Structures are given as C-alpha cells and as structure tokens.
Amino acid sequence: MHRKLFALIISAVLALPVFAACSDNISSDTSGSADTAFSAESTQQSDSTKSGSAGITMTVKGDEGKLSITRAERKNTPMGEKKWTIFIYLCGTDLESRMGSGTLDLSQICDTKNTDNVRFVIQTGGTAQWQNEIISTDETQRYVYEKGDLRLVDSVPAANMGESDTLKDFLSWGVSNYASEKMGVILWNHGCGSIYGVCVDELNEKDSLALYELNQAFSAVYSEMTDQFEFIGCDACVMSSAETANIFSTYARYMYCSQESEPGTGWDYSVIGNSLADNPALNGAELGKIVADSFRDECKKSDDENMCTLSIIDLHKFDDFLVEFNDYSRELYKASLDSTKLNSIARAANSADNFGGNNKTEGYTNMVDIGGIMRGCSDIADASKAQQALKNCIVYNINGLDHKNASGLSIYYPLMVEGSDELEIFSSIAINPYYLSIVDMIANGYSAEQYDNSVFFSDNGNWVNEDCVCRNFDTSYFEYADAQPEDDNSKLITFSSEPAVDENGVYGFTLDDNGYMYTSAVTAFLYCDLDDSSVLLGETNNIYADWEKGEFADEFDGYWLSLPNGQLLSTFVVDITDDYVIYTSPINLNGKRTNLRIRQNEKGTFIDGAWDGVGENSAVSRGITKIKKGDKIEVVYSTVDDVEITADPYEWKDGDDLIYSYLPAADYYYSFCIEDVYSNYFVTDFVTFNIDEKGDITFINE
C-alpha cells in the first residue's frame, strides 16, 4: 500500500479507543517469478548526455502555441543484401536467472528454418545466471543465428546493459558487420514505462535504459547508417507510450510495444523467424501483425489472454499526431484554468484505462491510455483531430478483454507521484508544454486560477526540448513533490453532512459542492482483530453512492474472500468494469512475497494467478504465475503499526478454489476512503460494526 495512504489509515485507526533450446544441452528452469526491486540510478542525466547531435528537437512558440518538430534526416538507402537482420538486446535479468525466459526465447529462435533470408544477431548480459550451458555470465557475448546454426562471434568485457554506451556499441558493431536491406531491433527485458525505460540489469544495481539513453544510443548509431531500422520493438511491459514512440520515430519506420504487462513467455520467436524465412519481402507493418497475432497465441497458451496488448505504430505518421495532440492539449490547458474544468479533466484521466497495476498494493506505473484521456475530456476540448491522427498511427493492435477499448498508446499521467525526480524526468520527455502543465497542476494540486506555466518557457517565450533534455527551466521547481505531507487528509474533501452513524445505524456522509467537485472515487476499508493485532482486511466497493446528490453510505453485504481453509484474504480493488471486478491480495507464495490476482464476474470468482506487481521504479513484473497443486500460500496482513504479519501456510490442492462467503461473527472496523482528483485521500474515522451469529450487521454509534 502507498505509504501516504497507509499513514492516513493508521491515523484514523488510532483515533478509535477500541484499538490499543539451440542444443540438446540447453535446459531451462521455469519456476519462480520476477523480482522487481529496481534502482533509479540510470535516470540521472549527466552533463555528457546534453552534448552531441540532436535526434529530435521540439519547439513550441509561446505566442503562437504551435508545435514544430525537427528530426535527424529520415534515410532510405538499404545498407545490405535483400534479407532481414533482427538485432536482439537480450538483457536477461531475473527473467532468465529465475525463470529461464531468455533461454526459452533463444530456443525458439533456433527453431527458425535453415535459410539465407533472416538472421538474428543477439547480445547477452544483465543476468546473474543463464539457465543453459552455452552462454557465459562472465562476458558480454554476441551470437549470430543463421542457416540453422547459432554461433558465438564476439565477446567483450562484461558491460552494464542499462547503460546507453552498451546498447550503442552493440548496435554500431551489429550494423557494421551484419547490415541487410531490412533491420529490426528488439529490446528484451523488463519494461518500466515512460519514466524509467527498459532493460534492467540485475548485475549493476538494477540500472535501466531511460528514454533519453535510448535516444542517445540510437542517435549515435543512426549517424553511421544510410537507412532507418524497419522497426524497433520492446519485448517488455508497458512500453507502448507516446513518449517512447517520440524517441523511436527518428530512427525507425514502425514500433512494436505493449501497453500492458507481458507474460514471461513474451513474443514467439519461432513464428517471427519462420515467417521471415518464408517471406523476406515482408515490411515492418506486415511483420508487426504477425508478431502481435503470435504473441496473442502465446498468451492463450498460458491463459493470459485477458490482459495481453500489443501495438504496431506507423512512426512516419506519428509527428502528425504530435502536432494535433499539442493543439488539443493547448485547448485543454486553457480550459483547465477554470478549477471546475481541471477537476473534470483529472476525473476523466483517473477513469481512463491504465496499465501495469496502479493500485495501493501492487504499485504504480502511471501509464494511462492516451485515447481514453481524450475520450473522457472530449466535451472540454475538441479532440476529434487528435483522435483521428492517433488512429492513423495505429497500424494494428490486439487488446485482451481487460483492455478491449485501449487505443494502442499510453502517456504518463500522475495517478500517484513518488517525488520530484519522477516529475523532473517527465518534464524532459514531455511531448508538449501544455500537457506538461496539466500534469504539473494535477501533481501539485494547484488552484487553477492561480496557476502560471511560464516556468516551462524560456526568456524568449518558447518551449524547446532537444533530445529529451528540456533546458528551459530549473527542475528544482518540482521539489514541491518531496514536501507533500504523508499523514494529512486531503483538504479538498469537505462535507455538508459529516461522516457519522445515523439513528438507523447507517454509516454515511454527504459531500458539499466543493467536496463533490474534487472527489473521484469512494471505497471503504475493513479491519478486524487477529492474533492480538488489528489487521487490515482490505477494501470494498459495496457502497451506496448517489453521485448526483453527493450522498454515500455503507452498503456492505458481509461477504469476503478467503482461502479454502477459511483464512480471510486481505483484498484491494484493482479494476471495476461492467463485466468484472479484479482484486489483488498480498501473499507469500512458496515463501516469496507477491500478490494474488482475483477476478469476479457473473460466472463466479476465479484466481488469475500470482503477480509480483510494480517495482520501486515502475518496473513491471512480466507474467502471472498460475497457482498449482502443492503451492504454499501465506496470507499477508498489515497491522495498524505498519507491520506485516503472515497467517499459517495453506497448501493448495487439486480442485481447490477460493471461498466467497459471509464473514465470521465478530466485531469489525469500517472507514470510508475518499480519493480526490489529485490522487490524495481523505480517510474517515473508523467505526465499529458487529456481525452476530445470525449474520445481522449492526453499526455501533459510539
């Protein structure tokens, strides 16, 4: 749970007096799941980053508000013979050392037919252990697979795969030695979204390639090329964002990325290789459709189809979208200077589809569907041109049932800001100053009428962003994000009728006009006494809500989720739609901390599996681990003292399922959690309710 919200819950609780295979010898270990504790070190931009040729320069003249974009020349002279070369930057990290996922994908590559039409050029590194007897962890190795043979062709001293120079050196070497008519680049690893990038190296303090580092590497290599890459893709989570596409647009014709978390199996490289072996004339759009469809098939095999997404973006059309989105953002920003409109914008963005967790238990990526934001705000500013330009960019995309309306591209939006570093990084990759201004207002919780975004413009009135290093202003401006109190209720939530238990034994409240304007969501928390501790049972959305009148009241039905032995789970709401509700519950699975993902729909209650969630720097765990016979599950609870305690382990058996049944007779403690449009919270005082032996629920007015 986010530390600020948890501090608020503790404050509310303490107010209660009652609480005191390329070769036969390749093997893989597919057990375990991803570790996602990652370092932010890679995001600090050095002075050297700010020098060199510009891959992209974006300018908005303040007096006109129009965006102009200058990119390095788009080249189109083929560099080699008529075949495909796929460069794979295989940063194995814990996906390989714990799960053997890199080895499995190498085995798929080696299933490619014996042909002259396609070759794979692979650099390995970034992992503590390869789950095969071929690749070494002592060196950074380079392999070529072609004509049915995998060969080690080069080795260099072990390098940090999260550094720009490591990627640059690999691609420069690869293009010099293995150029062909069509070339693609795949960045293989964890994805962290727009803020922290991709390719986490577990040998180097979990360093990753931030977007400015990707730009730096590709810019250096591109200066030596006569053609663009046919595609750049990320076989990684949550990298299909406008900020990523803006970087890749200079250097490639197409982008292949996923908005959502990817299963650990990732893309199907045997299908990719054999498709190119059979038809080397495929262009980036045609190959992209094959990559997406075969990825969906891989997700079906592991029963992960509901959350799978993959987008194929025509990068040559992306600048048209950037221009239209700038115009739209400018009108949206003008509207946002009215507090009522700003709150509506924030509420719409909070309601848009988002990716990679973004909840109190699993963590935040702050990746939100850009099409969803435009749809939600279309009555505030005309989004039609920007929406059409976005559709024109999307060559093809697949969406599982959990994201059936996703547009194909995400954008950073501050659902929960973790400090000034995050906002500073975003300011350097923002695609226009007006959307940056809206993010700044929402992250800061400004009174719109008092807001001035001139800080983002230089003395001559222009906003300039060159190579993702925005030089217009002193980024210490964002230090306000570090000074936010951790234990104060949101000052924006105000009431015409304060939270209280009425004469009928109903706990509820009524928002006043101001409180209603700023409220985005209302849920409730339940606590109970367990083993001499008061523990959080979790979150419920069983609430009576009359949004027109601003009236809210308890409507708790007494039902809760538990393991088959009756052990109550601590559950939190992840997503609510007309078709399903998804919960997450912190557990230890076979001794490792993770989260149980639970789905409820009209057919019943089901376990999707265990998911590690979002790491320290928005690094998203790949894939959901299915629960199987013999797995040992320990429910994890948080106490009012912010201490985790675990229940006795339960061993999963064939035929087991979760129980959704009435809570045992006892006293429980209930509080409303009101979220404002700026992702701050108001947690009401806890009140006691009793469930008796007959199952009757009675709130106690103390």
Side-chain angles (χ1 to χ4, degrees):
M1 177 176 296
H2 187 265
R3 59 179 182 170
K4 181 175 181 180
L5 177 57
F6 196 84
L8 288 171
I9 293 172
I10 292 173
S11 298
V13 170
L14 293 179
L16 269 181
V18 294
F19 281 91
C22 292
S23 169
D24 290 340
N25 64 355
I26 292 182
S27 62
S28 65
D29 177 7
T30 58
S31 63
S33 56
D35 175 16
T36 53
F38 299 93
S39 166
E41 185 173 333
S42 69
T43 64
Q44 303 305 312
Q45 299 184 16
S46 65
D47 291 339
S48 62
T49 306
K50 301 180 181 180
S51 61
S53 60
I56 175 174
T57 301
M58 308 175 72
T59 304
V60 171
K61 293 185 177 180
D63 55 344
E64 300 174 0
K66 294 294 185 180
L67 173 66
S68 62
I69 305 166
T70 303
R71 296 188 184 274
E73 177 190 2
R74 282 178 171 161
K75 306 170 184 179
N76 56 15
T77 302
M79 296 183 65
E81 56 188 317
K82 289 189 175 182
K83 63 189 298 181
W84 269 87
T85 298
I86 308 291
F87 299 102
I88 301 180
Y89 194 69
L90 190 60
C91 181
T93 197
D94 60 308
L95 294 172
E96 174 61 23
S97 61
R98 293 176 59 85
M99 302 170 66
S101 298
T103 292
L104 290 174
D105 283 349
L106 285 169
S107 297
Q108 288 181 337
I109 289 170
C110 294
D111 287 338
T112 299
K113 299 173 182 177
N114 186 338
T115 176
D116 285 329
N117 293 336
V118 58
R119 65 183 161 214
F120 292 88
V121 180
I122 306 148
Q123 176 161 301
T124 61
T127 187
Q129 181 181 3
W130 290 95
Q131 300 294 334
N132 61 69
E133 298 178 6
I134 294 178
I135 301 173
S136 171
T137 58
D138 297 330
E139 300 174 306
T140 297
Q141 296 182 316
R142 293 164 176 169
Y143 292 85
V144 172
Y145 177 83
E146 60 182 342
K147 300 179 182 178
D149 184 35
L150 180 70
R151 295 177 293 117
L152 175 64
V153 295
D154 191 32
S155 293
V156 297
N160 179 358
M161 297 283 276
E163 280 191 354
S164 177
D165 282 348
T166 307
L167 175 61
K168 179 201 70 176
D169 291 347
F170 166 58
L171 291 178
S172 180
W173 167 86
V175 168
S176 297
N177 290 282
Y178 298 99
S180 61
E181 182 183 43
K182 293 188 179 73
M183 298 181 289
V185 178
I186 298 174
L187 303 170
W188 189 104
N189 187 252
H190 285 295
C192 313
S194 295
I195 299 299
Y196 296 104
V198 68
C199 291
V200 177
D201 187 323
E202 71 175 356
L203 298 178
N204 289 278
E205 299 180 348
K206 309 295 178 65
D207 195 8
S208 64
L209 288 167
L211 293 191
Y212 83 90
E213 292 180 296
L214 292 175
N215 181 72
Q216 193 177 20
F218 280 105
S219 179
V221 174
Y222 191 64
S223 65
E224 304 168 358
M225 298 172 64
T226 62
D227 196 6
Q228 286 186 299
F229 291 107
E230 189 69 10
F231 76 87
I232 301 173
C234 296
D235 189 356
C237 303
V238 299
M239 292 305 296
S240 186
S241 72
E243 294 89 0
T244 306
N246 187 37
I247 299 299
F248 292 167
S249 287
T250 304
Y251 312 113
R253 297 182 176 91
Y254 298 94
M255 179 178 88
Y256 308 166
C257 288
S258 172
Q259 286 185 274
E260 184 52 284
S261 169
E262 285 193 0
T265 52
W267 300 357
D268 190 329
Y269 289 88
S270 59
V271 170
I272 295 170
N274 287 326
S275 296
L276 292 176
D278 292 338
N279 187 4
L282 289 172
N283 63 28
E286 294 164 336
L287 176 63
K289 186 176 186 300
I290 292 169
V291 171
D293 288 341
S294 60
F295 171 62
R296 177 165 50 195
D297 291 341
E298 285 283 275
C299 292
K300 286 180 181 178
K301 292 176 187 177
S302 57
D303 198 25
D304 287 322
E305 185 182 7
N306 283 339
M307 66 187 300
C308 77
T309 65
L310 199 71
S311 302
I312 311 305
I313 311 298
D314 185 339
L315 296 176
H316 282 193
K317 296 179 179 179
F318 186 69
D319 282 358
D320 293 337
F321 168 69
L322 287 177
V323 170
E324 294 295 346
F325 187 70
N326 175 76
D327 290 347
Y328 170 71
S329 298
R330 186 175 69 250
E331 295 307 308
L332 199 64
Y333 170 67
K334 289 178 181 177
S336 73
L337 296 178
D338 175 335
S339 290
T340 302
K341 296 290 180 62
L342 177 62
N343 300 334
S344 297
I345 292 167
R347 189 176 289 113
N350 286 331
S351 300
D353 201 357
N354 62 77
F355 309 92
N358 293 307
N359 60 75
K360 307 170 188 72
T361 300
E362 295 170 333
Y364 291 83
T365 63
N366 291 319
M367 290 285 94
V368 177
D369 187 59
I370 195 170
I373 291 176
M374 289 192 290
R375 274 196 308 274
C377 299
S378 59
D379 60 340
I380 302 172
D382 183 7
S384 57
K385 291 183 178 179
Q387 288 171 317
Q388 186 58 54
L390 177 62
K391 290 179 182 178
N392 293 343
C393 292
I394 311 296
V395 175
Y396 186 72
N397 66 316
I398 58 169
N399 291 328
L401 291 177
D402 289 358
H403 300 291
K404 58 186 179 182
N405 295 317
S407 68
L409 276 178
S410 305
I411 194 167
Y412 173 82
Y413 178 83
L415 293 169
M416 184 63 69
V417 176
E418 291 291 352
S420 61
D421 285 350
E422 184 174 307
L423 294 174
E424 178 180 342
I425 293 166
F426 176 66
S427 73
S428 72
I429 60 173
I431 56 178
N432 70 63
Y434 304 110
Y435 183 76
L436 170 60
S437 300
I438 293 171
V439 165
D440 181 43
M441 277 196 286
I442 289 170
N444 199 340
Y446 272 113
S447 170
E449 286 80 6
Q450 299 173 356
Y451 184 71
D452 179 3
N453 73 342
S454 61
V455 66
F456 300 135
F457 292 82
S458 60
D459 292 340
N460 62 7
N462 296 337
W463 174 82
V464 180
N465 192 340
E466 183 177 328
D467 282 342
C468 294
V469 184
C470 194
R471 304 176 178 87
N472 288 336
F473 64 100
D474 180 359
T475 53
S476 63
Y477 166 80
F478 291 119
E479 289 178 358
Y480 67 76
D482 299 324
Q484 298 295 322
E486 295 184 8
D487 56 356
D488 287 343
N489 270 324
S490 169
K491 302 297 189 296
L492 301 175
I493 305 302
T494 50
F495 308 92
S496 61
S497 178
E498 295 285 338
V501 178
D502 66 17
E503 66 276 7
N504 297 314
V506 176
Y507 186 35
F509 62 88
T510 303
L511 296 166
D512 62 17
D513 290 343
N514 183 78
Y516 173 81
M517 182 173 65
Y518 285 106
T519 296
S520 67
V522 180
T523 59
F525 289 115
L526 260 67
Y527 263 81
C528 72
D529 292 329
L530 179 68
D531 297 334
D532 299 322
S533 297
S534 296
V535 300
L536 180 62
L537 277 184
E539 185 179 29
T540 175
N541 63 318
N542 292 141
I543 291 172
Y544 167 78
D546 186 332
W547 282 95
E548 291 185 2
K549 297 180 179 179
E551 295 178 355
F552 299 86
D554 151 63
E555 205 170 53
F556 183 55
D557 60 7
Y559 283 82
W560 207 259
L561 287 161
S562 68
L563 293 178
N565 64 348
Q567 184 70 55
L568 296 174
L569 292 167
S570 182
T571 57
F572 299 87
V573 176
V574 174
D575 195 16
I576 302 174
T577 73
D578 293 336
D579 301 319
Y580 58 81
V581 179
I582 295 177
Y583 296 95
T584 184
S585 178
I587 62 168
N588 290 329
L589 178 63
N590 301 321
K592 183 180 182 297
R593 180 71 159 77
T594 185
N595 304 283
L596 196 63
R597 274 286 184 109
I598 303 158
R599 182 183 301 266
Q600 282 186 333
N601 57 31
E602 60 181 10
K603 296 180 180 179
T605 301
F606 310 93
I607 297 177
D608 282 349
W611 187 55
D612 288 357
V614 181
E616 181 181 349
N617 299 309
S618 300
V620 178
S621 178
R622 280 177 63 166
I624 288 181
T625 302
K626 301 303 177 182
I627 304 299
K628 61 185 183 301
K629 178 184 177 182
D631 281 342
K632 291 182 173 58
I633 299 174
E634 298 172 308
V635 180
V636 177
Y637 303 99
S638 294
T639 73
V640 295
D641 299 318
D642 200 10
V643 175
E644 286 192 348
I645 63 172
T646 58
D648 292 336
Y650 175 79
E651 185 171 326
W652 199 258
K653 302 177 181 62
D654 283 340
D656 271 352
D657 207 345
L658 295 181
I659 298 172
Y660 187 59
S661 62
Y662 217 67
L663 285 168
D667 285 342
Y668 297 87
Y669 312 103
Y670 184 101
S671 177
F672 291 108
C673 178
I674 308 166
E675 184 174 0
D676 71 26
V677 291
Y678 304 115
S679 299
N680 297 311
Y681 298 89
F682 188 104
V683 177
T684 67
D685 290 342
F686 277 76
V687 298
T688 305
F689 72 88
N690 175 264
I691 297 181
D692 63 22
E693 296 294 342
K694 297 179 182 179
D696 293 331
I697 300 176
T698 304
F699 276 86
I700 301 171
N701 194 349
E702 296 182 348

